[in-house]
Amino acid sequence: MKVKKKGMLATGMVVAASILALAGCSSSGGTTSPTDEGPASGSLTVWVDADRARALEDVAKTFEQEKGVKVNLVVKDYGKIRDEFTAQVPTGKGPDITIGGHDWIGAFVKDGIVAPVELGDKSADFEKVTVEAVTYEGKTYGLPYAIENIAILRNTALADSTPATFDEMIAKGQAAGTEYPFVVGLDPQASDPYHLYPFQTSFGNSVFARNDDGSYDASQLTIGDEAGQNFATWLTAQGDTGTKVLNLNLSGDLAKEAFNAGKSPYFLTGPWNVADAQSAGIDVSVDAIPSAGGETAAPFAGVQAFFLSAKSNNALIANEFLVNYIATADVQTKLFEAGGRPPALTESFEAAQSDPIIAGFAAVGQNAVPMPSIPEMGSVWDDWGKTEAALIKGSSDPAGDWVKMAESIKSKLG
């Protein structure tokens, strides 16, 4: 792949000098500004977890050699990055760049702590869903590096295929003679809207309407429509007062334990549970999620990305590092090898599919939709999960309960 070193620097040449003049002292300790007369200088601070740090060591050294800018890779606990970034950036502290999940973007933009990443023509080099995921209000607020979605893990010793419909899968699972025909991790109080979403979309239901660019329209809450009500009726029929296929007593850990013990041929989960299944001696296949409502089952896609701090004084050179160094096949492949998630860059994404497990998740991911990153999504999860749990336990009016849920969510959106 030809790396377009001039892609970002070619834009805004008229104002480049004035922008660079401000870059004399970055939030990460930069001392001088890059100029058109010679190599840039100073430093960039990048927050990463331990796996990503190892994958980025070589490209950080290359960037320093070619641009005269040192890249400080600061290892952070991933679970704390979001809160620390949110707290530190407004004070002028924190990194120039951090890793994170795309669903953080809406809140980050609302808080004014991230700046757009100018991908330019490089955006065409990424899987479409990853660019859609980091796009918010028409601007791209991240450099994608990995994709994540759920699929059906099948124990090949117990079932030779995963049927196209949910009912057929359950019938095949029952024929296997195991304790459970199918498992998915659920919470007794909050269910798990993330894992059940593919079945919901197979009824034609979504949470919010989507704009032409793939972004979500927070003014159009669609979850309570007729398709959603049909899903609610189906959900009740799968629970305690119906077929009992969906089991609120099987948490994520218990569902995993059951699958790894050979107690079910089918497990709805993500790539994070593959290694343990294989270690337990399970020969697994990754298959498409069966449709419950007649339409394609579309899971959420989660995208991992690099974000640019809105308070970085070296924003221009940070954008250069992201677009022309991180967005290369070599680096994206190293990030994939470190984390096991399919790469976001198409060239690396296609190469990774030589692994049948990655190929399986990637095939399912072709139908995935980005998890909404809009701030309004934070008002959805609680009512959504509690209502699903109540429906699974049993309801005399599932459609009505679903509409009440939607009304409650809408009242919180203002």
Side-chain angles (χ1 to χ4, degrees), residues 235-412:
L235 194 62
T236 298
Q238 310 311 311
D240 292 353
T241 58
T243 62
K244 303 184 185 299
V245 167
L246 295 180
N247 188 342
L248 290 170
N249 293 319
L250 277 180
S251 66
D253 287 341
L254 291 176
K256 171 182 172 179
E257 182 180 308
F259 181 77
N260 291 352
K263 296 180 179 180
S264 177
Y266 302 111
F267 182 20
L268 180 59
T269 189
W272 49 86
N273 278 327
V274 170
D276 285 345
Q278 292 175 328
S279 296
I282 307 293
D283 181 29
V284 298
S285 175
V286 180
D287 297 342
I289 302 169
S291 172
E295 298 185 27
T296 301
F300 278 132
V303 173
Q304 292 291 308
F306 291 89
F307 301 123
L308 174 60
S309 168
K311 299 296 184 180
S312 171
N313 290 325
N314 271 338
L316 190 64
I317 199 65
N319 203 111
E320 167 81 353
F321 177 64
L322 291 177
V323 175
N324 289 323
Y325 286 79
I326 300 297
T328 63
D330 178 61
V331 174
Q332 294 256 325
T333 297
K334 286 181 179 178
L335 288 166
F336 154 65
E337 291 170 347
R341 299 181 179 96
L345 195 73
T346 297
E347 182 178 352
S348 300
F349 178 79
E350 292 176 347
Q353 292 181 55
S354 59
D355 180 334
I357 297 297
I358 297 300
F361 279 107
V364 176
Q366 293 299 307
N367 294 319
V369 294
M371 183 184 295
S373 62
I374 53 178
E376 291 80 0
M377 192 63 186
S379 299
V380 174
W381 294 105
D382 186 58
D383 285 302
W384 192 10
K386 287 179 179 177
T387 299
E388 286 189 345
L391 293 173
I392 293 170
K393 291 174 183 176
S395 170
S396 59
D397 184 16
D401 291 344
W402 195 257
V403 170
K404 289 178 183 177
M405 173 202 71
E407 291 174 345
S408 177
I409 293 171
K410 190 172 183 179
S411 70
K412 295 174 181 178

Side-chain angles (χ1 to χ4, degrees), residues 147-158:
I147 317 171
E148 187 173 82
N149 58 266
I150 59 175
I152 291 289
L153 280 195
R154 172 171 54 89
N155 183 330
T156 62
L158 298 174

Side-chain angles (χ1 to χ4, degrees), residues 56 79 86 113 132-133 136 150 155-156 170-171 179 196 205 258 328 332 359 379 388 411 414:
L56 294 178
T86 301
I113 59 176
E132 289 179 345
Y136 183 78
I150 59 175
N155 183 330
T156 62
I170 298 304
E179 184 173 349
L196 295 179
N205 183 241
T328 63
Q332 294 256 325
S379 299
E388 286 189 345
S411 70

Side-chain angles (χ1 to χ4, degrees), residues 44-62:
L44 294 175
T45 294
V46 183
W47 281 3
V48 289
D49 61 4
D51 288 340
R52 256 49 60 179
R54 288 187 287 271
L56 294 178
E57 287 176 355
D58 289 343
V59 71
K61 292 176 182 177
T62 299

Side-chain angles (χ1 to χ4, degrees), residues 19-48:
I19 294 175
L20 293 173
L22 299 174
C25 183
S26 79
S27 61
S28 54
T31 56
T32 59
S33 306
T35 71
D36 293 335
E37 298 178 355
S41 59
S43 66
L44 294 175
T45 294
V46 183
W47 281 3
V48 289

Side-chain angles (χ1 to χ4, degrees), residues 68-134:
V69 176
K70 181 172 178 57
V71 178
N72 300 309
L73 300 174
V74 178
V75 176
K76 291 280 185 177
D77 178 344
Y78 185 86
K80 298 179 180 178
I81 284 180
R82 180 176 183 174
D83 289 343
E84 291 188 14
F85 188 75
T86 301
Q88 292 190 31
V89 170
T91 69
K93 299 179 181 179
D96 298 282
I97 296 167
T98 186
I99 60 169
H102 86 272
D103 54 312
W104 304 355
I105 291 175
F108 279 177
V109 174
K110 184 178 180 181
D111 292 341
I113 59 176
V114 289
V117 175
E118 302 298 334
L119 294 179
D121 58 2
K122 186 65 73 72
S123 64
D125 295 342
F126 289 88
E127 289 297 287
K128 181 181 178 182
V129 71
T130 68
V131 177
E132 289 179 345
V134 299

